[in-house]
Amino acid sequence: MSGQTPNAAEGALSAGLPKPLDVGNGLVAGSFGGDGSWLSLGAPHPVHGFVEMLASPPFDEEQRGDPAAVRRYREQLTQERFAFLRLDLPDEQVPERRAVLDSEGRPVWHRSGRGWTCSVTAWALPGQSALAQRYVIEATPDVRAVLRFGGRLDRSALAEITEVNPPLPLDVHSDVEVSSGELTVTAPVLTTSARVAVHATAGRWVPDAGCAAQWEITAGDGEPVEITVTVSLAPPPWPGDGLRPTAPAPRITQADPPGTLEHIAAGAVRYVLGCTALDVGHGDRTILTDHRLLPLSWTRDAYYQALLLLCAAPDDHDVTDVVAGHLRWLWGRGRTPGAPWMRSHLPDGRPKDLAVQADQQLYPLLELADYRRVAGRWPIGPDGGDAAYEWGRLITEVWQGLPRDGHDGLLAGAENPADDPSELPFALSTQILYWHTASQLAPWSSELGLDSLQLEQTAQNLSGAIARAFTCEGPFGSQWAYETDGNGQHRLYHDANDLPTALAPTWGFCSPEDEHWIATMRFAFSPHNAGHVAGRFGGLGSAHTPGTWTLGDAQELAVARTMRDNARAKAVLERIGHVAGVDGLLPETYRADSGRWLARHWFAWPAAVFGILHFGITKGGRNVWRV
């Protein structure tokens, strides 16, 4: 089912949007085109990872491992011509379309044509696996509106730029049953169903060619016409969980306040609570990197999203409980005892990409320490026993299994934080993260029974070990290398994914006046660095994907604030303000000459980091970022 309609705009989005607008409630998440058309409605699945209603063509399995093919497929997912549900009205003035967020953070689209105007509002239904949309049409007599459906249920393709373990092909067929007021879509292979219900003053669903259907209504009798559509999704229940819990994720309802950082921070919180921190039964929550392209969990991405929630609402138990649910998932279903966390995991916790990255073994430890620091208590553990004893036992097991290889206790890794192969085994950002994690856990050592791990001593030893292993000469004097072999070989480079290096003074690893850190950061944002991107909208990028990276912009803002360089901080905010979407979200990369979005129209991590920089990373007291 293609989902195409005669009036569909070709290409990507209208309404001046760089990305679709998203709505979710922690149970389901969906995306909408620039005309309010439904691009997707998805949810975690206990067997198949993530399922969704959509109409875009399936990913060609023969093109696995082809980055260009993956990017083309991802672009398709943004295009209005592949909507599964849309309202068609005659002679629309497409350039006049507009989309905004209302005071509740709900997307609202304004459309118009000859003899009519239409406003469209979408929202999530609290406690239900459903989204709703209301169309209000004001028109001259006899304006014909047609609601068109043409969608299917499918498993997420999980098409990656750097494929490691692609999912096995799955032949999914959808059946559509049409009744007067409701469409029912079922996919027996997925044991999943969806329903499309319409409430309107007139009309009924009428079968169209294939598995499509349409609902026709005539407007223009002097009164506005209202049409409300509710689309629900029902994957099977999680094993042992019975009926799905009905409590949605909490949400912070607010209009975006003025200012670039405020706008991005509000959007990031909405997106995480609604679309990535998703319920997976038993009171657990996975945190996904996004809900459309890669609904998978990396401990790295998930950490910064969890920290965002702790920073945004440290005293709101409903919000901090989302992080507690993620910690239970992360250390329970999301981890195999005695084994490391893999590169990525499916929403049910099973490993997806079977590659090990050293830094991803640290983020779960750090998230737990941050939760204790902010919430003032330990969350209930995966086994539900004595929290301090259980967490102490789990931390000890993970800590003792960290990939130390004998070079001053440094952590070795075969992949770097960009998911690319390491050229040398020891990455600077991973060692700084290691030091920070030891430092953050140390205050709770006695409480958790961790004295034998000698966390304070480990942090002290790491400071000297990092200086010895990574110090080398660079274009601006003595600096730290990106990678080393521990025996005098260094690689000079800096990547947008390596946030710990930029955050080193904020975490207390070094002072803001440290000459090695300053030289390293000067190198990072200079043409001497292969990760530097030149242009009007240039900045820090990555060998992983071309373009200026928004994570690089976040690093530069952190560096500018640490150095108290207000002019530089202002310039970064102006650049990122030009790039940010109407919902405050950010891409992975954008063009250095124009600011146009290039890659990953859905990506929670960058906006989450900017939100952390806005809210501050300490609980109470002075916000170290807002000087």
Side-chain angles (χ1 to χ4, degrees):
M1 181 60 55
S2 71
Q4 297 189 47
T5 64
N7 294 335
E10 291 296 321
L13 289 159
S14 57
L17 297 176
K19 68 174 289 293
L21 298 180
D22 311 304
V23 177
N25 61 4
L27 296 173
V28 293
S31 292
F32 299 87
D35 56 353
S37 56
W38 295 65
L39 301 179
S40 72
L41 177 66
H45 191 285
V47 176
H48 298 294
F50 197 88
V51 296
E52 58 183 347
M53 176 93 84
L54 76 169
S56 58
F59 182 69
D60 184 351
E61 293 295 330
E62 294 184 359
Q63 295 185 323
R64 292 276 178 187
D66 180 348
V70 171
R71 292 190 175 101
R72 287 194 300 270
Y73 170 76
R74 291 177 175 181
E75 182 68 25
Q76 274 185 178
L77 298 181
T78 71
Q79 295 178 3
E80 293 160 9
R81 62 193 177 117
F82 295 125
F84 73 81
L85 184 67
R86 71 154 38 83
L87 182 69
D88 280 344
L89 287 154
D91 301 319
E92 180 169 5
Q93 300 298 313
V94 173
E96 301 301 316
R97 287 178 184 163
R98 294 293 179 266
V100 296
L101 300 183
D102 69 9
S103 61
E104 295 293 309
R106 302 176 302 183
V108 179
W109 297 264
H110 297 283
R111 303 170 57 185
S112 61
R114 188 166 58 189
W116 61 268
T117 62
C118 178
S119 67
V120 187
T121 305
W123 67 95
L125 299 180
Q128 301 180 48
S129 298
L131 305 183
Q133 195 175 61
R134 179 181 295 116
Y135 309 87
V136 179
I137 305 169
E138 297 187 24
T140 56
D142 301 325
V143 171
R144 178 174 173 266
V146 181
L147 191 65
R148 302 183 189 275
F149 171 84
R152 70 180 194 282
L153 291 167
D154 207 345
R155 178 189 65 179
S156 174
L158 303 179
E160 297 191 62
I161 299 296
T162 51
E163 287 280 11
V164 177
N165 299 100
L168 295 175
L170 184 67
D171 185 15
V172 181
H173 174 75
S174 293
D175 299 313
V176 178
E177 181 180 332
V178 181
S179 63
S180 59
E182 185 175 88
L183 300 176
T184 302
V185 186
T186 56
V189 169
L190 301 175
T191 59
T192 298
S193 63
R195 287 178 172 78
V196 182
V198 177
H199 298 279
T201 54
R204 62 192 299 273
W205 281 115
V206 177
D208 203 346
C211 293
Q214 63 181 40
W215 182 295
E216 182 175 333
I217 190 169
T218 300
D221 61 357
E223 295 292 332
V225 171
E226 290 194 11
I227 306 171
T228 300
V229 179
T230 302
V231 184
S232 58
L233 188 63
W238 294 88
D241 198 45
L243 295 175
R244 296 289 305 280
T246 58
R251 64 191 183 103
I252 295 177
T253 57
Q254 62 183 69
D256 288 348
T260 296
L261 267 186
E262 292 85 351
H263 173 61
I264 294 173
V269 170
R270 276 195 302 268
Y271 184 63
V272 173
L273 286 176
C275 299
T276 64
L278 297 176
D279 182 278
V280 288
H282 304 284
D284 294 354
R285 289 189 185 272
T286 185
I287 297 184
L288 307 176
T289 189
D290 69 72
H291 76 287
R292 287 232 67 193
L293 306 182
L294 292 175
L296 299 167
S297 186
W298 277 254
T299 70
R300 183 189 306 114
D301 296 40
Y303 167 75
Y304 287 98
Q305 294 180 63
L307 180 59
L308 168 72
L309 299 184
L310 295 176
C311 294
D315 300 317
D316 187 328
H317 293 310
D318 288 337
V319 175
T320 57
D321 281 352
V322 172
V323 181
H326 177 247
L327 285 165
R328 282 190 294 276
W329 176 90
L330 184 62
W331 290 80
R333 282 187 280 173
R335 173 177 175 266
T336 302
W341 281 281
M342 294 291 121
R343 180 205 280 184
S344 68
H345 291 251
L346 295 162
D348 67 355
R350 287 175 295 150
K352 193 275 181 184
D353 291 319
L354 304 181
V356 179
Q357 299 170 348
D359 69 316
Q360 292 214 92
Q361 312 312 308
L362 297 168
Y363 281 112
L365 297 160
L366 186 56
E367 183 178 332
L368 185 58
D370 284 344
Y371 178 89
R372 174 64 178 86
R373 171 176 56 84
V374 172
R377 63 189 182 279
W378 298 106
I380 297 172
D383 294 335
D386 178 84
Y389 172 80
E390 186 176 350
W391 288 118
R393 175 179 58 81
L394 290 170
I395 290 169
T396 298
E397 181 180 328
V398 169
W399 195 262
Q400 291 176 341
L402 291 175
R404 307 172 186 90
D405 93 327
H407 285 74
D408 271 355
L410 301 178
L411 299 188
E415 283 193 343
N416 61 33
D419 293 344
D420 294 324
S422 301
E423 292 189 16
L424 298 172
F426 305 108
L428 172 66
S429 65
T430 297
Q431 314 314 316
I432 294 174
L433 177 65
Y434 186 18
W435 173 91
H436 182 52
T437 304
S439 300
Q440 292 300 104
L441 282 173
W444 320 112
S445 184
S446 296
E447 192 172 304
L448 295 172
L450 303 178
D451 291 344
S452 63
L453 301 183
Q454 299 182 308
L455 296 169
E456 287 188 2
Q457 188 63 51
T458 297
Q460 292 175 16
N461 293 343
L462 278 169
S463 296
I466 292 170
R468 288 190 295 273
F470 288 90
T471 301
C472 63
E473 285 302 309
F476 303 103
S478 185
Q479 68 168 79
W480 295 324
Y482 176 73
E483 290 176 338
T484 182
D485 66 352
N487 291 313
Q489 186 176 353
H490 300 101
R491 178 189 176 199
L492 286 185
Y493 174 68
H494 186 76
D495 194 277
N497 289 280
D498 290 271
L499 291 167
T501 304
L503 297 176
T506 303
W507 285 351
F509 176 76
C510 63
S511 75
E513 293 79 29
D514 187 283
E515 294 180 357
H516 293 96
W517 179 78
I518 291 173
T520 303
M521 292 296 95
R522 286 188 67 190
F523 165 82
F525 293 95
S526 78
H528 296 283
N529 178 21
H532 177 263
V533 181
R536 179 189 173 198
F537 294 94
L540 180 61
S542 171
H544 184 69
T545 300
T548 305
W549 278 54
T550 51
L551 285 172
D553 293 323
Q555 287 195 46
E556 187 169 9
L557 180 62
V559 169
R561 287 185 160 188
T562 299
M563 294 181 173
R564 297 181 181 271
D565 187 339
N566 293 332
R568 187 179 183 186
K570 181 180 178 181
V572 175
L573 289 174
E574 288 178 351
R575 183 169 74 239
I576 203 69
H578 177 85
V579 173
V582 68
D583 55 1
L585 297 185
L586 299 166
E588 181 179 57
T589 71
Y590 56 90
R591 289 182 60 97
D593 58 351
S594 65
R596 184 175 66 82
W597 288 33
L598 273 177
R600 288 197 69 168
H601 292 73
W602 291 275
F603 196 24
W605 187 12
V609 175
F610 274 99
I612 292 164
L613 299 183
H614 168 63
F615 291 116
I617 63 173
T618 57
K619 175 175 165 50
R622 178 171 168 270
N623 183 326
V624 299
W625 289 106
R626 302 170 80 176
V627 294

